[in-house]
Amino acid sequence: MPVRRLSIVFCATAALLVVGFLLTSCGGNDDARTTIETTTRTQPTISTTTDTTTTTTTTTPVVDQPTIVRVGVVGGAPQGGIVRQTVRKGDRVQLIVTSDVADHVHLHGYDITRSVAAGETARIRFEATVPGRFEVELEDRGAQIADLTVRP
Amino acid sequence: MNLLAHGLGGVRDLPVPESLFFTTAAIVLVVSFVLLGALWRRPLLDRHDEGQRLAGVLQAVLLSRALRIVLGALSVALLVLAMATALLGTTLELLNFAPTFVYVIFWLGLPLLSVLLGDVWRVLSPWRAIADATVWAIERTGRVAGPVLDSPWRYGRYPAAVALFAFVALELAHPRPAYPRTLGVAIALYSYWALAGMAVFGRDSWTKGGEGFAVAFSILSRIAPFAVRDGAIVVRWPFTGLAGAERVPGTLVFVAVLLGSTSFDGFSRSTTWQNLLGDVRANVADESQWVVDLATTFVSVVGLAVFVGAVVFTYLVAVSSARLLVHAPRSLASEFVLPLVPIALAYLVAHYFSLFLIQGQFIFTLVSDPFGRGRDLFGTVDFAPNLAIVSPETVWYVQVAALVVGHVAGLAIAHDRAVSLFENRRDALRSQYPMLGLMVLYTVGGLWLLSQG
């Protein structure tokens, strides 16, 4: 093949792939929206794995009231910036997210996802068994709304 | 979902305030600098770079054609599997084989492997294997297999820097980098870049200057205690491969992409950056989702480019000041690039080792069900990863240690270069003051970023 025709073939293939990339980049959203509910299904549960490794420190916390973390989302962004909260390991936590946009609230690390409709509230209750710093995100937008620190 | 945010964050109950770590790290660097000046008077690295040949039997096995073919076939199979799972498997990022394989096992595992074992990508690259097989097949039919263009390569490492930047932009700036379909097309696109480049410019030219991963792993492998010399494997002291100047154009930019992207990754998880992105989103909140995505992607790419640019800029300022201090007749820009390589490694380790240890474990469950269709091919689906494998304090101490060791190594390599470059010992030392400043800046900046992240 002459070089000119070859270069046309090369460029056309590249262009095709780039267009495909852009299309999938935009298209990803709807798919993720419908299927994300099932993420919690097969994620290995965190509590079982950590309990075995840190049995010495689990001295049955007698905490009755969960720590409440409230986040108000306006226009896809957290009101007053990213909400920061620190709890102790073993605390129970309730995350309450009120949002004016429909999205999914995702607590990283613990991998808990709840959908939230526009103007509604999503609640995530969990026991902070793993120490670390964890992001809370509006999943579809990829926007961080809270920053949860669990101290050991 | 940001797959990379799944590593343990940097929570720690530190016995002392963070600022004390910054000061200590800076003091360690200054003390190392003084010791280097007092004790390291002649170049040492170059002399030990030759190394010793491995035993003949090992050579024969490790460099054998059979091993090359087996590894090549395996890596092509993995490439096909990653592309197939990405394009056809579940769209749930954490249940699909491809995202964890590409971003964790491949992108974090191979730098580690290269630093420990040498330039293994030469035999592990699926694209090189495909190209080699194609050439072999063409030559078997009696035809000549040559590149489309015969002209010599004169683009340095710039095309590779562009390729690497594209990859890190996908990883760090794309709104959904781990979304399997996007990733699948990205793998196809990169494979095309790698294969078409080799077809047009020749296999060796493209591997050295165009294929981003090949260049990254080969640069990092200069740290390794193993290397191939004249068709034989040699054992040498680690880091000795970084002696000397690096005159291939584009190397500085390439290393800057490596360094800048990792530090930007740390910064992009800080509250400052997330709030800025939040403001951007709030400004375009009324638009449709793709406008919002476009806006945040654009801002992130700019942020990434600024970090890469900052590395290039600070380095050039340091070498220009060094030139002024010693009245050097020509630019020193190509003399002190390689000392940046251990720093790039330090940043990789500091930012990603917890992610590698934690998210990496999921590959065991993923190989049993790569498409996320509820299969259990190897009986490992119920494998429960130990997410508490490293404590947050360990993470922090490893991060601090990696940064300090990496920068001291950088300082030592730069010093070695200086004493071989300048006859006069005074000049050698003076040329290193700006390098010390640069290293202190990078260390403290790096620690600050880590403490934010």
Side-chain angles (χ1 to χ4, degrees), chain A residues 6 10 13-14 17-18 20-21 24-25 28-29 31 35-36 38 41-44 46 49-50 53 75 77 81-82 84 106 108 111 131-135 139-144 149-152, chain B residues 1-2 5-6 8-13 91-92 94-95 148 170 174 176 179 181-182 185-186 188-189 192 196 200 269 271 274-275 278 281 285 289 362 384-388 392-393 451-453:
Chain A
L6 204 63
F10 272 129
T13 318
L17 283 167
V18 170
F21 177 76
T24 53
S25 294
N29 227 10
D31 253 12
T35 46
I36 212 138
T38 46
R41 161 173 71 108
T42 36
Q43 281 297 315
I46 273 177
T49 48
T50 45
T53 52
I82 292 167
R84 287 171 168 277
H106 179 215
H108 281 271
D111 259 325
R133 193 161 150 190
F134 303 97
E135 289 178 11
E139 196 69 354
D140 304 338
R141 287 178 172 70
Q144 191 186 348
T149 301
V150 181
R151 292 208 171 275
Chain B
M1 180 186 318
N2 184 0
H6 281 252
L8 263 186
V11 60
R12 56 231 147 206
D13 271 334
T91 52
L92 296 175
L94 292 175
L95 296 183
V148 176
L170 171 70
H174 194 282
R176 282 167 298 278
Y179 179 67
R181 301 292 182 266
T182 309
V185 184
L189 193 59
Y192 180 73
V200 173
R269 276 184 247 165
T271 313
Q274 286 296 330
N275 278 334
R281 270 192 210 95
Q289 182 69 40
F362 283 92
N386 178 5
L387 301 182
E393 288 84 8
S451 70
Q452 295 292 302

Side-chain angles (χ1 to χ4, degrees), chain B residues 366-388:
Chain B
L366 288 169
V367 287
S368 266
D369 187 17
F371 290 87
R373 300 262 186 258
R375 302 273 162 73
D376 193 358
L377 298 177
F378 304 108
T380 54
V381 151
D382 292 328
F383 170 78
N386 178 5
L387 301 182

Side-chain angles (χ1 to χ4, degrees), chain A residues 64-109:
Chain A
D64 292 316
Q65 289 303 314
T67 310
I68 292 177
V69 184
R70 275 178 209 281
V71 187
V73 174
V74 178
Q79 239 174 337
I82 292 167
V83 177
R84 287 171 168 277
Q85 177 74 44
T86 303
V87 298
R88 294 203 65 83
K89 188 182 161 192
D91 283 2
R92 285 190 300 141
V93 181
Q94 184 169 15
L95 183 69
I96 303 176
V97 179
T98 309
S99 171
D100 66 339
V101 292
D103 209 302
H104 292 84
V105 179
H106 179 215
L107 170 62
H108 281 271

Side-chain angles (χ1 to χ4, degrees), chain B residues 339-340 342-343 405-415 435 439:
Chain B
L340 297 179
I343 302 171
V405 171
H407 286 87
V408 169
L411 213 51
I413 292 160
H415 180 83
M435 290 310 276
M439 296 294 172

